[in-house]
Amino acid sequence: MTTTMKTWSPEAFAAAVAAAVWAPSIHNSQPWRFRHTDDGVDVLLDEGRRLPVCDPDGRMARISCGAAAFNLRLALAATGAPAGYRIGTGPVVVHLTPGPPCPPTPMQRRLHWQIRRRHTNRGPFADSAVSAGGPVNLVEAARREGAWLDFVTDDAAVVALAELIRSADERLRADPAYTAELRAWTSGANHDIEGIGPHAAGPAPHPAELLTRRDFGGAGRETTRDLARRPEVAVLGVLGDAADDAVRTGMALQCVLLTAADLGLATAMFSQPIEVPACREKLRRSVGRIHDPQLVLRFGYAPTTCYTNRRPVADVMEP
Ligand SMILES: Cc1cc2nc3c(=O)[nH]c(=O)nc-3n(C[C@H](O)[C@H](O)[C@H](O)COP(=O)(O)O)c2cc1C
């Protein structure tokens, strides 16, 4: 028997998509679309918004879509209508179907509340260690979504990781096509709806900083010092290197970022060493994993900085 009944009301679908779009995405490119189907919801990778230079294989776009799918799942769970899901390797990166109704758990409520509060922080982080329970909770959040999150605890290893980020950033910046693409999503972008405007870019990177931030065109600042002398950094990955593994990483990424926000932690992301294959391989060996690392994350305490914007919900929904 075929059914033509949609599974969620148009209003419930639109509300879930309105939460999904607040996911992080590479350069705030928002490479996603959402389709209400007869048996569920599709999250689609919008190829037209993939970054051809820094993301030739679509890894970063898939991580971004996975993060959006996690928000979608959370938004549906928060209404008592949790969804099951299947990850795909084609243009439909995630297909969600309704599961048995179930009241949201306290944790789901808290993480849902953080969707609009979480943001990437490119300002200086305070020089205070993350409280003892922090890393344990973040590792557990990644594990719940089938990922690993390895904190880099040894001082020498942090310095080595910082060196990898710096050398990857240098290699990327040496390519004029890369800098042109970066500028298109910063100074060239329509910041009301996409890309990273000067308000969210953070101060201009300075050579004295241990962790080399991507240069999104922010202005210089009076103090070039990053207050955190010993940053809390971790490497995120899953048990695989295929296209669907990047989507799975994105779900875990968003679970970790929302958990961090719930713990009062600021977060920042560094994907430069993942985008340069030789650096990614060095990073993989340094954390002793079989599969590719997918992202480097930083956690700490920092004042809230400016938020990026999103396209209207109607623009990302398939008719
Ligand atoms: C896969 C991925 C890679 C990212 N890489 C970086 C990065 O290298 N540097 C950075 O500052 N932010 C990075 N970000 C953060 C995005 O720039 C950020 O999510 C986007 O601008 C939206 O802003 P928001 O996170 O504050 O909502 C990355 C995000 C994702 C999902």
Side-chain angles (χ1 to χ4, degrees):
M1 191 184 78
T2 54
T3 171
T4 53
M5 268 280 290
K6 300 244 175 182
T7 43
W8 287 287
S9 69
E11 294 75 22
F13 171 59
V17 173
V21 298
W22 289 99
S25 62
I26 181 84
H27 297 8
N28 195 23
S29 55
Q30 307 163 47
W32 45 59
R33 295 189 66 76
F34 303 89
R35 181 164 64 200
H36 202 186
T37 69
D38 287 341
D39 71 338
V41 170
D42 287 337
V43 180
L44 300 127
L45 193 158
D46 186 342
E47 269 292 333
R49 298 182 72 84
R50 183 174 58 77
L51 309 180
V53 182
C54 93
D55 190 24
D57 59 3
R59 179 199 297 262
M60 297 296 149
R62 283 175 182 275
I63 296 176
S64 308
C65 287
F70 184 84
N71 276 3
L72 203 59
R73 284 169 51 203
L74 197 54
L76 293 168
T79 66
Y85 68 90
R86 199 177 59 235
I87 297 179
T89 50
V92 177
V93 292
V94 182
H95 178 64
L96 290 94
T97 47
C102 177
T105 63
M107 173 63 86
Q108 285 170 330
R109 282 184 201 277
R110 292 218 307 271
L111 297 190
H112 182 247
W113 168 253
Q114 294 297 342
I115 286 178
R116 289 300 304 273
R117 282 153 197 83
R118 177 217 64 83
H119 69 292
T120 301
N121 196 315
R122 300 186 182 87
F125 282 39
D127 189 19
S128 41
V130 168
S131 62
V136 176
N137 282 296
L138 298 167
V139 168
E140 180 48 33
R143 199 174 289 149
R144 276 204 305 277
E145 293 296 319
W148 48 264
L149 181 69
D150 292 348
F151 275 82
V152 182
T153 49
D154 178 73
D155 281 354
V158 172
V159 171
L161 172 59
E163 176 52 28
L164 263 183
I165 296 175
R166 193 191 55 74
S167 104
D169 193 71
E170 264 176 26
R171 286 205 211 182
L172 291 167
R173 279 189 291 110
D175 178 359
Y178 167 83
T179 44
E181 184 179 75
L182 192 58
R183 288 295 156 256
W185 288 97
T186 50
S187 42
N190 178 359
H191 305 135
D192 289 347
I193 56 169
E194 64 188 9
I196 300 171
H199 54 289
H206 189 277
E209 290 176 0
L210 182 59
L211 300 176
T212 306
R213 285 174 299 113
R214 220 190 264 274
D215 186 359
F216 290 109
R221 59 180 148 133
E222 279 169 27
T223 166
T224 53
R225 194 166 58 111
D226 186 346
L227 301 175
R229 277 164 289 187
R230 171 61 179 81
E232 196 81 63
V233 275
V235 182
L236 179 70
V238 293
L239 301 178
D241 303 317
D244 52 336
D245 294 309
V247 180
R248 202 161 286 120
T249 301
M251 291 196 187
L253 168 68
Q254 184 64 349
C255 189
V256 168
L257 295 176
L258 294 176
T259 303
D262 184 51
L263 293 168
L265 293 171
T267 49
M269 289 168 249
F270 299 83
S271 54
Q272 304 101 310
I274 312 298
E275 292 160 27
V276 177
C279 295
R280 187 169 71 232
E281 175 56 16
K282 280 191 187 158
L283 182 58
R284 184 192 68 74
R285 277 194 261 121
S286 75
V287 288
R289 291 281 177 178
I290 295 171
H291 298 105
D292 280 352
Q294 305 262 4
L295 207 57
V296 176
L297 302 178
R298 177 187 194 175
F299 305 95
Y301 300 100
T304 298
T305 50
C306 284
Y307 287 54
T308 50
N309 293 317
R310 297 295 187 271
R311 290 178 291 155
V313 169
D315 287 8
V316 296
M317 296 201 298
E318 297 260 310

